[in-house]
Short mmCIF file of all heavy atoms in Angstrom, two decimals:
data_model
loop_
_atom_site.label_atom_id
_atom_site.label_comp_id
_atom_site.label_asym_id
_atom_site.label_seq_id
_atom_site.Cartn_x
_atom_site.Cartn_y
_atom_site.Cartn_z
N TYR C 45 67.55 3.84 28.42
CA TYR C 45 66.17 4.09 29.05
C TYR C 45 65.66 2.60 29.15
O TYR C 45 65.77 1.90 28.30
CB TYR C 45 65.36 4.75 27.94
CG TYR C 45 64.95 6.23 28.36
CD1 TYR C 45 64.80 7.07 27.30
CD2 TYR C 45 64.51 6.56 29.44
CE1 TYR C 45 64.41 8.37 27.49
CE2 TYR C 45 64.02 7.79 29.85
CZ TYR C 45 63.93 8.62 28.74
OH TYR C 45 63.53 9.98 29.01
N MET C 67 67.13 6.18 38.37
CA MET C 67 66.12 7.19 38.55
C MET C 67 64.82 6.85 37.94
O MET C 67 64.73 6.34 36.87
CB MET C 67 66.63 8.50 37.92
CG MET C 67 65.62 9.66 38.15
SD MET C 67 66.27 11.23 37.32
CE MET C 67 67.53 11.62 38.57
N LEU C 69 61.36 7.90 36.26
CA LEU C 69 60.89 9.08 35.46
C LEU C 69 59.36 9.08 35.39
O LEU C 69 58.84 10.27 35.12
CB LEU C 69 61.52 9.00 34.12
CG LEU C 69 62.95 9.00 33.94
CD1 LEU C 69 63.47 8.86 32.48
CD2 LEU C 69 63.59 10.26 34.59
N GLY C 87 61.20 11.14 39.72
CA GLY C 87 62.24 12.16 40.23
C GLY C 87 63.06 11.47 41.42
O GLY C 87 64.05 11.99 41.92
N VAL C 137 65.46 14.69 42.83
CA VAL C 137 65.97 15.75 42.12
C VAL C 137 65.01 16.91 42.36
O VAL C 137 63.71 16.81 42.43
CB VAL C 137 66.01 15.49 40.53
CG1 VAL C 137 67.14 14.43 40.30
CG2 VAL C 137 64.86 14.94 39.97
N SER C 139 64.25 19.21 39.98
CA SER C 139 63.50 19.65 38.72
C SER C 139 63.57 18.20 37.85
O SER C 139 64.49 17.95 37.24
CB SER C 139 64.22 20.75 37.95
OG SER C 139 63.47 20.74 36.69
N LEU C 140 62.46 17.67 37.80
CA LEU C 140 62.37 16.37 36.94
C LEU C 140 62.38 16.78 35.56
O LEU C 140 63.18 16.03 34.64
CB LEU C 140 61.01 15.76 37.28
CG LEU C 140 60.78 14.35 36.40
CD1 LEU C 140 61.85 13.32 36.59
CD2 LEU C 140 59.44 13.85 36.75
N SER C 141 61.80 17.88 35.15
CA SER C 141 61.89 18.14 33.65
C SER C 141 63.31 18.48 33.33
O SER C 141 63.62 18.18 32.09
CB SER C 141 61.12 19.42 33.38
OG SER C 141 61.44 20.57 34.25
N LEU C 142 64.16 19.18 34.12
CA LEU C 142 65.52 19.35 33.76
C LEU C 142 66.23 18.02 33.66
O LEU C 142 67.10 17.89 32.77
CB LEU C 142 66.19 20.27 34.88
CG LEU C 142 67.73 20.52 34.76
CD1 LEU C 142 68.00 21.13 33.31
CD2 LEU C 142 68.24 21.33 35.87
N ALA C 143 66.04 17.14 34.61
CA ALA C 143 66.70 15.82 34.61
C ALA C 143 66.38 15.05 33.39
O ALA C 143 67.25 14.49 32.73
CB ALA C 143 66.29 15.04 35.83
N GLN C 144 65.13 15.14 32.95
CA GLN C 144 64.77 14.46 31.71
C GLN C 144 65.44 15.04 30.49
O GLN C 144 65.81 14.27 29.54
CB GLN C 144 63.18 14.55 31.52
CG GLN C 144 62.42 13.52 32.47
CD GLN C 144 61.01 13.88 32.42
OE1 GLN C 144 60.37 14.89 32.28
NE2 GLN C 144 60.23 12.74 32.29
N ARG C 145 65.60 16.39 30.40
CA ARG C 145 66.25 16.92 29.28
C ARG C 145 67.73 16.54 29.31
O ARG C 145 68.25 16.25 28.20
CB ARG C 145 66.22 18.46 29.28
CG ARG C 145 64.81 19.10 29.05
CD ARG C 145 64.78 20.56 28.79
NE ARG C 145 65.37 21.31 29.78
CZ ARG C 145 64.60 21.76 30.87
NH1 ARG C 145 63.27 21.51 30.93
NH2 ARG C 145 65.06 22.55 31.81
N GLN C 146 68.35 16.49 30.43
CA GLN C 146 69.71 16.00 30.59
C GLN C 146 69.87 14.58 30.15
O GLN C 146 70.84 14.15 29.41
CB GLN C 146 70.23 16.29 31.95
CG GLN C 146 70.38 17.71 32.35
CD GLN C 146 70.68 17.92 33.84
OE1 GLN C 146 70.03 17.44 34.61
NE2 GLN C 146 71.82 18.64 34.09
N ILE C 147 68.93 13.74 30.45
CA ILE C 147 68.97 12.34 30.13
C ILE C 147 68.82 12.06 28.67
O ILE C 147 69.44 11.26 28.04
CB ILE C 147 67.94 11.49 30.95
CG1 ILE C 147 68.28 11.39 32.35
CG2 ILE C 147 67.70 10.15 30.32
CD1 ILE C 147 67.21 10.86 33.37
N ASP C 148 67.88 12.92 28.01
CA ASP C 148 67.73 12.87 26.56
C ASP C 148 69.19 13.32 25.86
O ASP C 148 69.49 12.64 24.87
CB ASP C 148 66.75 14.02 26.09
CG ASP C 148 65.23 13.52 26.50
OD1 ASP C 148 65.06 12.41 26.83
OD2 ASP C 148 64.47 14.47 26.65
N ILE C 150 72.20 12.68 27.19
CA ILE C 150 72.94 11.48 27.38
C ILE C 150 72.51 10.34 26.39
O ILE C 150 73.34 9.60 25.88
CB ILE C 150 72.85 10.94 28.78
CG1 ILE C 150 73.47 11.99 29.71
CG2 ILE C 150 73.43 9.64 29.11
CD1 ILE C 150 73.20 11.87 31.25
N PHE C 170 76.08 14.67 35.33
CA PHE C 170 74.69 14.43 35.76
C PHE C 170 74.54 13.81 37.06
O PHE C 170 73.79 14.22 37.90
CB PHE C 170 73.90 13.48 34.64
CG PHE C 170 72.45 13.17 34.99
CD1 PHE C 170 71.65 14.38 35.18
CD2 PHE C 170 72.00 12.00 35.17
CE1 PHE C 170 70.26 14.09 35.47
CE2 PHE C 170 70.66 11.77 35.39
CZ PHE C 170 69.77 12.80 35.59
N GLN C 173 75.74 16.46 39.71
CA GLN C 173 74.62 17.40 39.90
C GLN C 173 73.53 16.85 40.79
O GLN C 173 73.14 17.58 41.68
CB GLN C 173 74.00 17.82 38.48
CG GLN C 173 72.93 18.86 38.75
CD GLN C 173 72.31 19.34 37.32
OE1 GLN C 173 73.15 19.75 36.45
NE2 GLN C 173 71.02 19.15 37.24
N CYS C 174 73.08 15.66 40.56
CA CYS C 174 72.12 15.06 41.37
C CYS C 174 72.49 14.93 42.80
O CYS C 174 71.86 15.25 43.76
CB CYS C 174 71.60 13.72 40.83
SG CYS C 174 70.72 13.80 39.22
#
Side-chain angles (χ1 to χ4, degrees):
Y45 250 141
M67 178 182 287
L69 302 177
V137 292
S139 172
L140 178 60
S141 60
L142 174 60
Q144 288 176 315
R145 290 197 298 272
Q146 292 171 306
I147 289 170
D148 288 341
I150 291 169
F170 182 56
Q173 178 178 306
C174 292

